[in-house]
Amino acid sequence: MMRTLSHLMNTSVLAWLAVVLSTGLSAQSPLEIASRFAESGSWDEAYAALKPSMQQELYQTDAHAWYVLGFVQKELHKASGATGDEAVFRAESVQSFQRALSMPNLSSEERETARRALDFLSRSYFRDAIQWVEGFTPTAEPIILELMGRYEAIQSSLNPGQDLSPQRADLHRYLGQAYAQLLETERFADLPEERALFEGATSHYQESLTHDPDSYASQYNFSIALYNHGVRQLKRINHTTSMFELLEIQDACVELFERALIPMRKAHDQRPTRLETLKGLMTIHYALSQPEASEAYRVKIEQQLRNR
């Protein structure tokens, strides 16, 4: 009888504990549940626990809840490895952190952490834009510029008035190089696409120089793109070329070589001992039928080689 009573008491205690534990869990808010999952690195579970509740009036103005959700979404983005428009969690994370930062009741510690997280996310947009330049095709340009725009928007929200000229100059220089490399493949020789690629290369170099007028790389590469395009035109002259076409090609080439001379001189002024600009000036002057100027740069090249 005593054993039975004891067994019943133990059973009752266990049942009571189960009820208490069950009540305790059910009493937890979605934010508390998500926070516990986040502490253990269970990001999917944390997201599932909190995201559906964020439309409730209780959480609409809860800066801490938006902060936690942003952190969860950031970690999900990092785990996914997604880029471009496929990086859904990145876009959601940015929105959540910005929502949290817009509220006055976010703690100073969380505010600083949220700013650092947004800076990380914005830089990932910039890295994506640069990576899209690799293996570039012209159809990728709108995607690249959109990614750059998102980077700029977040950085501007974090630091109003920040000078983003260096990053803009870099991106447009990379795009200019990407277009120029496609031109060099000769796959578009004498086709309408060639003109579009040439304009793409030169326009991006010019855009780069508006953000960084003293960029040696942009000045030099801009000059090379102009010169090489002139050479491509000359190579098309053959026995079938009419006199009228010949004169037209020559005029176009002279214009390109004269345009190429300006940025090459600017690059040379920045680094007057660089052999590449000396060779560039020597070659462009020779192409313009200016033997004396060409010879002067040839002499400078020999002097530089002797000094080495």
Side-chain angles (χ1 to χ4, degrees), residues 92-117:
E92 288 187 4
S93 181
V94 168
Q95 292 175 355
S96 296
F97 279 129
Q98 288 180 331
R99 185 80 174 263
L101 286 169
S102 70
M103 300 177 187
N105 56 338
L106 188 67
S107 71
S108 58
E109 182 179 351
E110 289 181 339
R111 187 170 297 275
E112 180 58 31
T113 302
R115 287 177 60 86
R116 288 199 300 268

Side-chain angles (χ1 to χ4, degrees), residues 236-250:
R236 292 178 192 149
I237 298 174
N238 55 39
H239 66 281
T240 65
T241 306
S242 69
M243 182 59 68
F244 177 78
E245 289 173 332
L246 178 62
L247 293 173
E248 201 173 48
I249 291 172
Q250 286 178 337

Side-chain angles (χ1 to χ4, degrees), residues 34-58:
S35 297
R36 288 194 176 185
F37 278 128
E39 287 173 4
S40 64
S42 302
W43 308 114
D44 287 315
E45 291 80 357
Y47 182 79
L50 184 56
K51 183 64 166 65
S53 301
M54 295 308 293
Q55 298 304 316
Q56 297 177 11
E57 186 176 352
L58 174 66

Side-chain angles (χ1 to χ4, degrees), residues 36-296:
R36 288 194 176 185
F37 278 128
E39 287 173 4
S40 64
S42 302
W43 308 114
D44 287 315
E45 291 80 357
Y47 182 79
L50 184 56
K51 183 64 166 65
S53 301
M54 295 308 293
Q55 298 304 316
Q56 297 177 11
E57 186 176 352
L58 174 66
Y59 289 133
Q60 284 291 295
T61 57
D62 189 331
H64 176 68
W66 286 106
Y67 167 83
V68 171
L69 180 61
F71 201 89
V72 169
Q73 290 162 330
K74 178 174 76 73
E75 294 304 313
L76 286 171
H77 163 65
K78 288 166 61 178
S80 72
T83 61
D85 290 338
E86 295 179 3
V88 177
F89 284 123
R90 175 171 58 185
E92 288 187 4
S93 181
V94 168
Q95 292 175 355
S96 296
F97 279 129
Q98 288 180 331
R99 185 80 174 263
L101 286 169
S102 70
M103 300 177 187
N105 56 338
L106 188 67
S107 71
S108 58
E109 182 179 351
E110 289 181 339
R111 187 170 297 275
E112 180 58 31
T113 302
R115 287 177 60 86
R116 288 199 300 268
L118 274 175
D119 182 67
F120 164 80
L121 292 167
S122 75
R123 292 178 190 279
S124 75
Y125 279 114
F126 183 69
R127 288 193 298 271
D128 273 10
I130 299 301
Q131 287 175 357
W132 270 88
V133 178
E134 300 176 9
F136 175 80
T137 61
T139 56
E141 183 174 337
I143 299 171
I144 293 168
L145 295 179
E146 182 184 356
L147 289 167
M148 183 64 178
R150 292 181 183 179
Y151 162 75
E152 292 179 349
I154 298 170
Q155 285 295 319
S156 296
S157 70
L158 291 172
N159 304 292
Q162 179 185 5
D163 183 14
L164 297 172
S165 295
Q167 292 86 345
R168 292 178 183 133
D170 285 344
L171 182 70
H172 286 287
R173 185 176 73 254
Y174 296 146
L175 281 169
Q177 291 171 346
Y179 273 103
Q181 286 171 0
L182 282 178
L183 269 173
E184 294 304 315
T185 63
E186 302 266 349
R187 287 180 299 172
F188 303 104
D190 209 20
L191 294 173
E193 289 86 348
E194 181 185 72
R195 185 68 190 177
L197 291 176
F198 171 69
E199 290 176 352
T202 54
S203 65
H204 280 296
Y205 283 136
Q206 288 173 308
E207 181 69 18
S208 177
L209 288 167
T210 64
H211 299 297
D212 184 6
D214 298 324
S215 170
Y216 172 85
S218 293
Q219 295 285 11
Y220 178 79
N221 289 330
F222 182 31
S223 176
I224 293 298
L226 292 166
Y227 174 79
N228 284 348
H229 196 57
V231 171
R232 273 189 292 274
Q233 312 314 308
L234 288 176
K235 286 182 177 179
R236 292 178 192 149
I237 298 174
N238 55 39
H239 66 281
T240 65
T241 306
S242 69
M243 182 59 68
F244 177 78
E245 289 173 332
L246 178 62
L247 293 173
E248 201 173 48
I249 291 172
Q250 286 178 337
D251 288 344
C253 291
V254 168
E255 181 186 352
L256 287 165
F257 295 151
E258 287 177 342
R259 288 178 62 193
L261 200 55
I262 298 171
M264 187 62 76
R265 281 174 175 163
K266 290 180 178 179
H268 174 65
D269 288 343
Q270 293 180 48
R271 302 183 186 180
T273 60
R274 288 293 293 265
L275 284 175
E276 60 186 4
T277 56
L278 290 169
K279 290 177 180 177
L281 288 167
M282 178 188 72
T283 303
I284 295 171
H285 279 294
Y286 183 83
L288 285 168
S289 299
Q290 299 170 350
E292 291 182 2
S294 180
E295 176 64 15

